[in-house]
Amino acid sequence: MIFEVLSAGLLTTVQDLGRWGYQGKGMPVAGAMDPQALKIGNILVGNDPGEAAFEITLMGPTLAVLEGEGLIAVTGAEINFTINDVEAPLWQSVKVQAGDTIALSAPKGHGCRAYLCVSGSLDVPIVMGSKSTYLRAGVGGFNGRALKAGDRISTGPLKPLTWLSVGLACPERLRPKRELELPLRVVLGPQDDAFTEKGLKTFLESEYTITNEADRMGYRLEGPVIEHKAGADIISDAIPLGAVQVPGHGKPICMLADRQTTGGYTKIAVLSTPDIAVLAQRIPGQTVRFKAISLEESIAATKAEREQIEELLRLRASYRSRRVVPVGSPKPRGSERWALRVDGRTYDVIVEELD
Amino acid sequence: MAEYLEPKVLYAGDSAVTIEFGDSIDIKVNARVQQLRQFIDRGQFNGVVELVPTYRSLTVYFDPVRVGDVAPFFERLKKLAADTKGEVPKGGLIIVIPVCYGGEFGPDMQNVIDHTGLSEEEIIKRHTAVDYYCYMLGFTPGFSYLGGMDESLATPRLKEPRKVIPAGSVGIAGKQTGIYPIDSPGGWQLIGRTPLKLFDPEGQPPFLIDAGMWVRFRSIDRKEYDEIASQVAARTYKPEILTKSGDAK
C-alpha cells in the first residue's frame, strides 16, 4: 500500500521496538512508548510483533490509501477510528484498499498513544538496526521527523498468510491493562540508598500529578518533595528505561523511550517493564501512585506480559487455520499456496507443478 | 575512598543491573569498567542486550525472560567484576581529531584568552599537548566525556548558553573539554571545530570514539579543514588511529 498523509495529527512518528545496542555511545533507544500495544497490533495484521508502525499521540492523522490493499489495526489508546467516515473497531484487523480514507481523530476514552499497524510494516530505512524515529537528532523513521501533510509512505512486502488474519481481534483478556487507578509498580534502586527513610515513604505513599512537561523523553511529576540524605547529584551513570529520577528539587521524573542514556541525578527506583506503558498512556493532569515490588515480582510481571504475546500468536495461528484455503496473490502460474495447520502450527505451503 | 573493596550490584529495574566499582572519577576505576565490558562482550552471557560503560560503573541491560534466574546471573557478574584489575591497559587506542582553532570556528577563544591570561598560541599548544581519556559517552549521541585537560585552560561556561552549537565544535566548560557531535544547544566556550563527524547514522561504524579510547587533538589550518571536510563528505576520509606506544595501527 501507499499512504498519503492528509493531516498529520499532533505527533505521529514511525516507531518499532527501539534502537538498542548504541546506548553505550550515547544514542537514546527511542521506540514505541507502549510496546505491548504495538506488538498486538502487528500480530493482528499478520506481521512479526516488533515491526514498525505509526505511533499516534492524542490527536491522530488522516491518511488516504493511494495504492494497493492490506490490513490495518489500531491498538493502544481509545481513539476515534473511522474508515470512509464509518466507525471501525479498535484491537482488530480490518482490510483497506486504494481510495479509502483512514481517520484517527480525538481520543474517546483513556490513553495518550495509539498504534496504527499495517500489514507489511512501513517501508522506511533501517538506521542502526531500527526504524524508530529519534526526533532530537533527526534519526530514523520517516526522514528523521514526525509526519506532516503531503508525506507519502509505503508498506513493505506482506508476510505469508497475512490475508488469513483479516478480522482477527485481540480478546479483551489479552489487551494490556491501562486503567487510571492502577498504581505504578517499581523496583527500588539503583540509588534508593541516597534517600532518607522519610523520603522513601513520601515517594511510595504520595500521589503525584503529571505536569505539562510530559513527552517521549520523560514525564515530570508534581507532588510532595522526596527527601535526599545528602544531595541529589551523583557521578553520571546509565539511565535505564523507566527510571524514576529525583533531582535536587525532590520531584520525580520518569525517564521514557527518548531519554538520555546517562545522567547525574539519583534514581530512586525503576518502573516495572509492563507499567512503563501504563504511565505512557496517561496525560498531563492525571495522577500516579508508586508501589514497590521485589525484583522477582517485576520479572514475573514482565514474563506474564510476554506470555500474552505468545498466546495471541497461538490464537492467530488457530484463527488462520479455521479453514484451509488458497492464500496469497499474485501467484506464479501453475502454483497454489495453502495454509495448512498441523499439530497447532500453521504452515505456508506452496504447491508448484514441475516440468 | 575512591574504589570499593568489592564491586556493588545495584538493582536497576527488571531489565538492567549496574555494577559499580567506586565513587570517584578515576582512570583506574574506569579501567575496571572497561575490563568487565570486554569480558561480557566475549559473549559468555545469554540474554545480555547491551552494555553501557560510565565513569565508575557498567550497566548491563538484559532480557529477563532469556536470562531466566537472575540471582546466579548477578552472582556471575559480581564475581567477574571482582576479578577485574584497576590497571590502565598498555597499548590503548588514540584517535587523532584535527581541529581548526580560533577564528570563525572558535568564537569564544577571546573569552578563554581573557580568563586564562594565555595567548591563543599557548592555548592551542596546551590543548593539543596531552592525550585525553574517554571515560564514557552520553548526553547526546556520540558525546565523549574526556578527562585530562591542562587545568590552566579551565574557563567557566558562557553565562548565556547558545541555542545552537554546530556539530564538530570543540569547547571548554570548567575543567572539561569536549566535542559536540550533533547540532545542539549549550554553554561551552567554543575554541575550534573539527571537520570529522563524530556521529554519522549512515557511517560504518556510526561513532568515531568509544569509551576507553584516548583522544588527541591536532591543530590544522583552514585549508586542511576544508580538504578533510570534503573527504569526510565523500566518505573517503580515514581517521588517524594510533596505539598508545605511538605506532600506527
Side-chain angles (χ1 to χ4, degrees):
Chain A
M1 285 183 287
I2 298 175
F3 299 108
E4 183 175 280
V5 180
L6 301 180
S7 69
L10 197 60
L11 175 71
T12 303
T13 57
V14 175
Q15 301 292 345
D16 56 18
L17 294 178
R19 189 168 285 103
W20 293 86
Y22 297 96
Q23 289 184 84
K25 301 290 195 295
M27 184 77 202
V29 178
M33 292 278 275
D34 188 341
Q36 191 78 353
L38 173 81
K39 289 178 187 175
I40 291 172
N42 272 319
I43 293 170
L44 297 178
V45 298
N47 294 346
D48 289 338
E51 293 187 57
F54 295 112
E55 181 180 271
I56 288 148
T57 320
L58 289 171
M59 291 289 297
T62 303
L63 306 172
V65 185
L66 294 186
E67 267 181 36
E69 55 183 4
L71 301 181
I72 63 170
V74 178
T75 60
E78 294 168 56
I79 194 170
N80 272 302
F81 169 33
T82 60
I83 299 172
N84 304 331
D85 295 323
V86 178
E87 191 178 349
L90 303 174
W91 304 98
Q92 185 169 355
S93 75
V94 287
K95 188 184 162 190
V96 291
Q97 59 197 15
D100 287 342
T101 302
I102 303 160
L104 292 148
S105 55
K108 59 179 180 181
H110 181 61
C112 182
R113 294 160 222 278
Y115 294 86
L116 169 59
C117 297
V118 300
S119 56
S121 185
L122 296 169
D123 185 23
V124 297
I126 296 173
V127 179
M128 294 161 67
S130 167
K131 292 181 178 177
S132 285
T133 315
Y134 174 55
L135 291 168
R136 275 182 180 75
V139 173
F142 187 86
N143 296 329
R145 60 168 171 81
L147 293 189
K148 55 187 189 192
D151 287 342
R152 287 186 180 193
I153 186 161
S154 304
T155 57
L158 298 189
K159 288 278 187 298
L161 310 182
T162 290
W163 290 109
L164 285 179
S165 304
V166 66
L168 174 62
C170 177
E172 189 76 43
R173 70 190 157 83
L174 294 181
R175 296 180 200 172
K177 303 284 172 281
R178 301 286 181 249
E179 285 78 7
L180 259 179
E181 57 276 13
L182 288 173
L184 303 178
R185 293 167 293 179
V186 296
V187 177
L188 293 177
Q191 281 96 31
D192 52 321
D193 63 352
F195 298 86
T196 63
E197 211 161 297
K198 187 180 152 211
L200 285 166
K201 201 169 139 75
T202 307
F203 171 60
L204 293 171
E205 293 180 4
S206 308
E207 186 172 79
Y208 288 90
T209 305
I210 299 168
T211 68
N212 284 325
E213 288 175 84
D215 59 16
R216 286 185 43 85
M217 194 172 169
Y219 274 37
R220 280 177 187 269
L221 308 180
E222 182 57 54
V225 168
I226 300 165
E227 188 182 76
H228 290 87
K229 278 182 193 160
D233 295 348
I234 57 165
I235 297 171
S236 286
D237 70 1
I239 305 177
L241 178 59
V244 184
Q245 185 173 277
V246 186
H249 55 56
K251 314 281 176 68
I253 307 171
C254 299
M255 306 300 287
L256 301 173
D258 284 2
R259 73 199 176 283
Q260 292 184 0
T261 55
T262 59
Y265 296 122
T266 46
K267 294 166 286 293
I268 192 168
V270 180
L271 293 167
S272 183
T273 295
D275 290 6
I276 294 167
V278 175
L279 175 64
Q281 288 293 9
R282 290 188 194 170
I283 58 173
Q286 294 179 336
T287 57
V288 303
R289 282 180 172 280
F290 297 99
K291 180 190 172 193
I293 59 171
S294 71
L295 176 59
E296 289 71 23
E297 287 170 317
S298 187
I299 289 175
T302 305
K303 285 181 177 166
E305 196 186 52
R306 206 82 69 83
E307 182 47 43
Q308 299 205 308
I309 294 300
E310 295 302 319
E311 191 176 341
L312 187 62
L313 283 167
R314 289 193 291 271
L315 204 131
R316 181 174 77 180
S318 104
Y319 182 85
R320 284 167 162 180
S321 58
R322 67 202 187 277
R323 55 185 205 253
V324 176
V325 289
V327 291
S329 62
K331 58 197 176 211
R333 258 159 60 98
S335 81
E336 293 289 340
R337 272 176 93 173
W338 299 83
L340 290 181
R341 187 158 185 248
V342 181
D343 210 15
R345 292 182 74 100
T346 306
Y347 296 87
D348 181 30
V349 179
I350 299 172
V351 181
E352 243 175 282
E353 284 175 29
L354 300 174
D355 292 332
Chain B
M1 188 180 65
E3 199 170 329
Y4 304 145
L5 289 173
E6 261 192 16
K8 289 183 186 173
V9 175
L10 305 180
Y11 283 9
D14 56 45
S15 304
V17 62
T18 295
I19 313 292
E20 194 173 272
F21 291 94
D23 58 3
S24 62
I25 298 175
D26 181 330
I27 192 165
K28 286 182 178 160
V29 173
N30 190 264
R32 298 187 68 179
V33 174
Q34 301 305 334
Q35 274 180 45
L36 180 61
R37 173 189 176 200
Q38 284 161 14
F39 281 156
I40 300 172
D41 262 344
R42 287 186 201 131
Q44 49 192 314
F45 282 91
N46 182 38
V48 169
V49 174
E50 67 172 308
L51 305 174
V52 181
T54 58
Y55 279 114
R56 41 81 186 243
S57 65
L58 183 75
T59 295
V60 179
Y61 287 81
F62 60 87
D63 177 345
V65 174
R66 278 171 59 209
V67 163
D69 194 356
V70 285
F73 174 71
F74 287 2
E75 262 322 297
R76 277 184 69 204
L77 285 175
K78 194 175 174 178
K79 191 177 173 304
L80 217 48
D83 288 345
T84 58
K85 291 182 179 65
E87 287 165 11
V88 182
K90 293 190 178 71
L93 297 180
I94 306 167
I95 181 158
V96 179
I97 305 288
V99 178
C100 181
Y101 286 94
E104 62 166 311
F105 292 152
D108 303 320
M109 183 59 96
Q110 193 58 49
N111 292 346
V112 180
I113 292 168
D114 294 344
H115 186 82
T116 61
L118 301 169
S119 67
E120 176 167 339
E121 197 187 5
E122 186 61 26
I123 290 167
I124 297 169
K125 193 177 150 201
R126 294 189 189 184
H127 198 255
T128 52
V130 294
D131 293 336
Y132 300 87
Y133 182 71
C134 175
Y135 281 97
M136 57 180 270
L137 290 92
F139 173 55
T140 63
F143 183 86
S144 50
Y145 287 87
L146 302 176
M149 188 176 75
D150 187 328
E151 291 202 3
S152 64
L153 297 177
T155 308
R157 287 164 200 257
L158 294 174
K159 285 194 183 71
E160 289 282 325
R162 286 189 173 83
K163 288 209 170 61
V164 182
I165 290 178
S169 294
V170 174
I172 290 175
K175 293 177 186 173
Q176 277 184 292
T177 186
I179 315 159
Y180 279 84
I182 59 171
D183 291 357
S184 44
W188 291 45
Q189 305 275 2
L190 306 183
I191 58 169
R193 195 182 299 174
T194 176
L196 303 192
K197 279 185 174 177
L198 274 76
F199 170 50
D200 176 5
E202 313 292 330
Q204 297 293 337
F207 298 93
L208 281 189
I209 301 177
D210 191 9
M213 277 174 101
W214 299 81
V215 171
R216 181 181 295 174
F217 295 110
R218 180 168 70 86
S219 177
I220 57 170
D221 59 17
R222 180 58 197 255
K223 185 168 164 285
E224 193 176 352
Y225 178 98
D226 290 336
E227 284 166 11
I228 295 175
S230 57
Q231 289 174 34
V232 168
R235 296 186 187 280
T236 56
Y237 184 81
K238 284 216 166 55
E240 194 183 347
I241 294 179
L242 315 166
T243 53
K244 198 72 179 124
S245 57
D247 305 318
K249 198 209 170 197

